[in-house]
Amino acid sequence: MGTDKLLVSLAGQPNCGKSTVFNALTGAKQHVANYPGVTVDKMVGWYHCNGTRVEVVDLPGTYSMTSYSPEERVSRDFILHENPSVVINTMDASNLKRCLYLTFQLLEMEIPVILNLNMMDVAKSRGMAIDRAALSRQLGIPVVATSMKQGRGKKELIDAVQAVGNRKAPQTPVRVDYKEMESYLRDIRDLLKSGTDFEDVYPIRWMAIKLMEGDEEVRRLIREKVSRAEELLARVTLIREKFETDLEETAEMYVAQCRYMAAEAVCKPCLTMPATAKRPLSDKIDNVVCHKFLGPAVMVGVIWLLYYLSIVQGYNLTNYTWPWLAKIRNLAAAAMPDPGFIDIPLIRAFTLWLVDSVNALLNYIPIFFILFALIAMLEDSGYMPRMAFIMDRLFNRFGLHGQSTLPMVLGGIYVGGCAVPGVMSCRGIPDERSRLTTIFIIPMLNCLAKVPLYVLLINIYFAEHKAMAMFFISTISLLMVLPVSKLLTMTILRNKETAPFVMEMPPYHMPTIRGVLGRAIERVWMFIRKITTIVVALAVVIFILLQFPGISRESIDNYNVGKDKAIANFREKIADTSYEQALEGKNLMAMILFWESYKNKKVLTRGPEAGKVLKEKFKARNPVFFTIAQPGKDKVAKKVNRAFKKLVKARKKILREMRKERIDQSFLGRLGKAIVPATQWAGFNWRVNVALLSAFAAKESSVATLGALYEQDDAGESLENRMAKGEEGFTPLHALALMMFMVLYPPCLATSIAVKLLSGSVKWMMFSMTYQMLLGIIVSTLIFTGGSILGLTGLQAMVAFYGLALTITIIMGFIKPKSEHA
């Protein structure tokens, strides 16, 4: 009987070409979602065949159907609860025996299965021959051979889906013989049949096997659905223990051995290997790539290239994308009420604040696109598992995963990374505990936005030891994140799901342009769609904290006096000129807006021809204003131009002073003063507090805020000089404490949003902000107060703290946490 709709799921081990099969079947008709309660991607697509809509779900790559990791659990739960019409078990044909381990588990779940022998081109290149008809008879299910990268086998696979989905191809799947365990499995089946009503919902034999394996998810399911669950589970435990006592072997190991023996028996009549085994090219490459000494060197080169192309060249590309974002800002500004000389309408300030906040995130798009494309290339080529293999031994000592390497490099393991792409790239870490740990430590690395504050303080307080200070600040973050990651995995994350480390070295493949670009575009679009909704809400909160309650009436009166004085001086200088009448009344403000608009668009204009077009455009808009802005050889216009520039400069000074006072009097400024009793032990005064609080929006804001707080007395005076004069009591010890707080500073706005997206929880986002804030205060207090008590100079404290951090890191590396699993 036919149907107008089929639900098909793709299941397979990692690196079997499953994503290529999915893309070949669905084309552009696909989207990304998340499985409920986890951050695992859910790829869904569809195609039509003979009037039937076939919905295809690409399940996460998994080696088994246990419940060790979120990927394994969601794959299993989808098959059990969504009842797909067909499961396409895609496997690497060149690794038939190993891949059958997952096939047997799928068949035990009693669902219609099609075995898809993908990557047949690789198998043939190795001299392997597979008798598909014999394999189909052995397994009792249809077998379809494909090489999807070459576009072969797609029609045959679609036809098989139609036949199995419409029940035109009945199946009699093979059953793994668990030999001595079979009697114990029958006892558990009898318990389940008599004590539960699972037989109508779940495969009873499969549940019995899972209970013999000690599967916690199946035990949890029984506790939820059965009234006398503990009694039933106790009897199951006795059966399991009796088996292990009788055979002197763990049930899990025995099940695995039986499956591998079954795979050997199935393959024997179906698989022909070459008479003289030819060593695969992948193995030859691995001699270098995975070499004890050459492997890390190659990895450093690959990571450097990845970093250079995504971060460095990505930032260079923003020179081309930023003008478009700036045009969006100009359009928003044009739609808002015009500003006065010193009066900025609140709706204008608020709108431009939101646009600037969103633009700051959208500016990452070139970086993300290159980053996601390169990651897709590393995944498709097969190098990503090699990278994880090389680093896993070291990182595992600190609760991290080999695949934490890439996010940490992108986040700034030395200097100059960016926490946002670092956090976003944590998606590929399969171990939930390691994934969360990596997400939480990425913001502590040296992102590029922290560097301006480091340079500012080093130039002022460590000028004679710049090289040493930069080495310290460039490497101390790594000595902080490793012990912190170990503590996180031993405490708050100790009960999070972890999985046995399974490392497979798949053969190398040439990535396809379609696959790489498709995934890069999909991930970038998901970033844009999700992140812009959250940033608006947070930007509103920060705007309120910075803008309100505002400047006092008395101060506004004083600023108005300054405004009137500046305008009067300007009018006095242009009196009796031919331009005096053109700048009377509202025309003066119109000229200022004309001037700002011209300057803004001139900055975005590239090339002499475009500059010429821009001049003609503004000249046509208002010839008089344009002559003042571009006086040429007109002596009178030059005189007016000089006077006008001084007026604009005076206006900017008043606006800067107003902004400074607004920050001082704002809720955020008051908060900065209110927390002085807590931060004084770290050496922070209220100005430093305000700078650090404002840095939550973006780390660069710390230096920008300090620039507003330390008033400029002389034109062109550097911030270094202004801060040195404004903070006479500030010492190198103060500066060291401040730099260390910036190292441990909570994630900025964009990174916080990325943490929320990748962790799937606002709770974890708040935790990442809170624990780093507390850690930063503790470390800064230790340095400043401890250094003061011991009479240390800033340089001495730097050396002492570095030695302490290095010692703690080494000790933490040798601590072995208690295993949660028996």
Side-chain angles (χ1 to χ4, degrees):
M1 182 176 67
T3 180
D4 58 357
K5 184 177 181 180
L6 293 176
L7 176 61
V8 175
S9 61
L10 283 174
Q13 296 183 357
N15 306 300
C16 66
K18 184 164 57 65
S19 296
T20 306
V21 174
F22 176 78
N23 290 329
L25 291 176
T26 63
K29 303 183 185 72
Q30 55 181 260
H31 67 273
V32 180
N34 281 115
Y35 292 95
V38 293
T39 57
V40 180
D41 278 348
K42 179 182 181 181
M43 294 293 296
V44 181
W46 63 92
Y47 67 89
H48 289 88
C49 179
N50 299 328
T52 301
R53 175 187 165 93
V54 182
E55 184 173 304
V56 184
V57 178
D58 186 10
L59 300 176
T62 176
Y63 291 99
S64 67
M65 285 290 157
T66 58
S67 60
Y68 283 125
S69 70
E71 286 79 7
E72 291 174 340
R73 189 173 67 251
V74 299
S75 295
R76 191 173 78 179
D77 287 350
F78 182 88
I79 293 173
L80 285 175
H81 301 129
E82 299 298 326
N83 297 314
S85 310
V86 183
V87 173
I88 301 176
N89 177 203
T90 301
M91 68 165 58
D92 175 2
S94 64
N95 286 300
L96 177 63
K97 189 187 301 183
R98 174 179 53 76
C99 291
L100 282 174
Y101 188 88
L102 177 62
T103 306
F104 292 141
Q105 294 182 72
L106 292 172
L107 294 177
E108 285 170 353
M109 297 174 77
E110 299 178 10
I111 49 173
V113 176
I114 296 172
L115 184 61
N116 172 209
L117 294 176
N118 194 33
M119 299 164 61
M120 284 295 294
D121 53 322
V122 177
K124 288 179 181 178
S125 68
R126 295 184 178 183
M128 301 167 61
I130 300 175
D131 186 337
R132 287 192 294 117
L135 182 60
S136 179
R137 288 193 299 272
Q138 288 281 326
L139 294 174
I141 58 174
V143 177
V144 179
T146 62
S147 296
M148 281 301 182
K149 282 195 175 182
Q150 285 75 36
R152 300 171 190 163
K154 176 181 173 180
K155 182 180 183 303
E156 291 80 357
L157 184 58
I158 290 176
D159 290 343
V161 169
Q162 288 294 111
V164 174
N166 291 319
R167 303 294 188 267
K168 295 179 180 178
Q171 297 188 348
T172 53
V174 65
R175 172 183 281 193
V176 176
D177 183 4
Y178 290 106
K179 304 182 183 352
E180 287 90 343
M181 184 183 281
E182 287 293 343
S183 62
Y184 299 88
L185 292 175
R186 280 195 296 272
D187 291 341
I188 296 178
R189 285 206 313 272
D190 292 341
L191 282 176
L192 292 173
K193 288 180 179 179
S194 61
T196 73
D197 57 356
F198 284 154
E199 191 170 11
D200 297 331
V201 183
Y202 301 109
I204 292 296
R205 176 178 167 80
W206 171 81
M207 289 193 75
I209 295 169
K210 291 289 115 183
L211 287 171
M212 281 296 288
E213 289 181 300
D215 192 289
E216 282 300 325
E217 284 297 306
V218 173
R219 294 174 69 89
R220 182 186 60 78
L221 183 65
I222 290 174
R223 289 190 182 99
E224 291 178 355
K225 304 288 186 181
V226 180
S227 57
R228 302 177 64 182
E230 294 304 327
E231 179 183 340
L232 189 151
L233 291 175
R235 295 176 68 181
V236 168
T237 301
L238 289 174
I239 295 172
R240 184 169 182 261
E241 290 175 349
K242 186 176 187 305
F243 169 83
E244 293 182 343
T245 301
D246 292 346
L247 273 77
E248 297 182 349
E249 188 171 11
T250 63
E252 299 97 312
M253 185 63 69
Y254 185 86
V255 168
Q257 288 175 352
C258 288
R259 286 174 181 157
Y260 282 122
M261 289 171 60
E264 179 83 31
V266 167
C267 288
K268 194 170 184 179
C270 309
L271 178 63
T272 303
M273 300 296 290
T276 56
K278 182 181 178 183
R279 194 178 185 195
L281 178 62
S282 293
D283 290 352
K284 297 177 182 178
I285 298 175
D286 281 342
N287 282 343
V288 176
V289 171
C290 296
H291 189 270
K292 186 175 181 180
F293 300 110
L294 294 177
V298 172
M299 186 187 71
V300 169
V302 170
I303 287 175
W304 177 86
L305 185 63
L306 186 79
Y307 173 82
Y308 175 78
L309 292 176
S310 62
I311 303 296
V312 178
Q313 294 302 324
Y315 272 118
N316 290 338
L317 284 179
T318 60
N319 294 328
Y320 300 95
T321 58
W322 184 252
W324 290 98
L325 298 176
K327 288 179 180 179
I328 295 174
R329 188 187 191 279
N330 291 338
L331 289 173
M336 292 296 105
D338 289 334
F341 194 87
I342 61 172
D343 303 319
I344 310 297
L346 186 61
I347 184 64
R348 179 184 180 87
F350 176 66
T351 301
L352 294 183
W353 170 268
L354 288 182
V355 172
D356 288 341
S357 299
V358 174
N359 277 357
L361 295 172
L362 295 180
N363 198 43
Y364 285 114
I365 288 178
I367 298 171
F368 283 155
F369 183 80
I370 295 174
L371 171 65
F372 291 147
L374 291 174
I375 290 176
M377 290 175 66
L378 290 177
E379 291 171 343
D380 288 355
S381 67
Y383 183 71
M384 194 73 85
R386 274 85 177 174
M387 184 186 295
F389 170 78
I390 293 169
M391 291 303 297
D392 185 74
R393 180 175 296 180
L394 171 64
F395 280 171
N396 186 255
R397 287 183 173 271
F398 296 95
L400 298 172
H401 193 280
Q403 292 186 9
S404 302
T405 307
L406 178 63
M408 291 177 68
V409 169
L410 294 171
I413 204 168
Y414 185 67
V415 165
C418 179
V420 180
V423 171
M424 293 296 286
S425 63
C426 290
R427 184 180 299 275
I429 302 175
D431 186 318
E432 185 182 17
R433 181 191 295 172
S434 298
R435 180 166 60 244
L436 286 173
T437 304
T438 309
I439 288 170
F440 293 151
I441 64 167
I442 290 295
M444 295 164 59
L445 297 172
N446 284 322
C447 71
L448 192 65
K450 297 179 181 180
V451 175
L453 183 65
Y454 298 154
V455 173
L456 172 68
L457 296 174
I458 288 173
N459 282 335
I460 300 174
Y461 301 103
F462 296 96
E464 296 180 1
H465 306 282
K466 287 184 181 180
M468 182 177 177
M470 280 306 298
F471 174 81
F472 169 83
I473 207 66
S474 300
T475 56
I476 192 64
S477 61
L478 184 60
L479 298 182
M480 297 299 296
V481 301
L482 292 179
V484 168
S485 64
K486 187 65 167 284
L487 285 173
L488 288 173
T489 56
M490 292 171 63
T491 55
I492 195 167
L493 297 178
R494 67 182 182 278
N495 294 324
K496 284 296 169 184
E497 290 179 333
T498 185
F501 183 69
V502 180
M503 180 53 60
E504 175 198 3
M505 297 300 177
Y508 291 98
H509 300 286
M510 185 64 68
T512 62
I513 295 176
R514 178 181 176 181
V516 169
L517 292 182
R519 267 184 289 173
I521 293 171
E522 185 67 44
R523 290 172 179 176
V524 167
W525 174 241
M526 184 170 61
F527 168 79
I528 296 172
R529 191 175 66 241
K530 289 185 176 181
I531 211 166
T532 51
T533 56
I534 304 171
V535 71
V536 170
L538 290 177
V540 171
V541 174
I542 296 173
F543 178 83
I544 293 172
L545 293 176
L546 281 173
Q547 294 292 321
F548 294 98
I551 304 172
S552 67
R553 171 51 58 186
E554 182 180 355
S555 294
I556 291 177
D557 292 340
N558 290 333
Y559 291 128
N560 279 319
V561 170
K563 177 192 79 170
D564 294 339
K565 183 179 179 181
I567 293 176
N569 289 337
F570 170 72
R571 296 205 178 282
E572 182 180 338
K573 290 178 181 179
I574 69 167
D576 300 326
T577 66
S578 56
Y579 296 96
E580 180 180 11
Q581 188 175 359
L583 296 175
E584 285 184 349
K586 294 181 178 180
N587 287 342
L588 178 60
M589 195 61 217
M591 173 63 202
I592 292 174
L593 295 176
F594 180 91
W595 171 276
E596 290 179 345
S597 177
Y598 177 65
K599 291 295 182 183
N600 290 338
K601 292 187 177 181
K602 189 176 180 182
V603 170
L604 301 176
T605 302
R606 299 183 180 277
E609 192 63 34
K612 185 178 180 181
V613 172
L614 181 69
K615 288 181 179 180
E616 293 298 327
K617 180 180 177 180
F618 273 82
K619 187 175 182 180
R621 182 188 299 180
N622 193 315
V624 176
F625 286 177
F626 183 79
T627 304
I628 297 173
Q630 296 285 316
K633 296 181 179 180
D634 188 329
K635 292 183 179 181
V636 178
K638 282 184 178 181
K639 177 183 177 181
V640 176
N641 177 271
R642 287 193 295 270
F644 181 75
K645 285 181 178 179
K646 289 182 179 179
L647 176 66
V648 170
K649 186 176 180 180
R651 176 176 181 258
K652 287 183 177 179
K653 182 180 179 181
I654 295 173
L655 289 173
R656 186 168 58 249
E657 291 173 349
M658 293 177 69
R659 183 168 60 251
K660 175 185 173 183
E661 183 173 346
R662 186 176 291 111
I663 293 173
D664 185 6
Q665 299 300 322
S666 68
F667 294 128
L668 203 59
R670 294 179 181 183
L671 179 60
K673 292 181 178 179
I675 62 177
V676 165
T679 63
Q680 62 181 337
W681 304 106
F684 304 162
N685 58 27
W686 76 270
R687 284 183 290 271
V688 171
N689 289 343
V690 170
L692 292 174
L693 289 171
S694 68
F696 173 68
K699 296 294 192 298
E700 302 94 325
S701 298
S702 60
V703 173
T705 304
L706 289 172
L709 292 173
Y710 295 106
E711 187 175 356
Q712 183 171 311
D713 297 324
D714 303 317
E717 186 179 19
S718 69
L719 177 56
E720 283 87 347
N721 291 336
R722 285 148 51 197
M723 184 172 179
K725 288 193 303 183
E727 296 291 356
E728 294 181 359
F730 223 67
T731 67
L733 198 58
H734 288 82
L736 179 63
L738 179 54
M739 285 194 295
M740 280 309 304
F741 186 83
M742 181 55 74
V743 168
L744 302 170
Y745 194 90
C748 66
L749 176 63
T751 307
S752 296
I753 295 168
V755 170
K756 191 270 175 189
L757 292 177
L758 265 292
S759 66
S761 169
V762 174
K763 178 189 72 173
W764 285 126
M765 180 184 77
M766 298 305 297
F767 168 76
S768 69
M769 295 161 57
T770 304
Y771 99 87
Q772 285 187 226
M773 178 73 75
L774 293 175
L775 184 61
I777 288 292
I778 292 170
V779 169
S780 300
T781 301
L782 174 67
I783 290 174
F784 179 73
T785 301
S788 299
I789 293 173
L790 296 174
L792 301 178
T793 65
L795 193 63
Q796 291 170 338
M798 183 182 291
V799 174
F801 184 78
Y802 196 87
L804 177 64
L806 182 60
T807 302
I808 292 174
T809 301
I810 294 172
I811 292 173
M812 292 295 289
F814 285 100
I815 295 177
K816 293 185 178 181
K818 294 180 180 180
S819 175
E820 291 84 6
H821 302 286

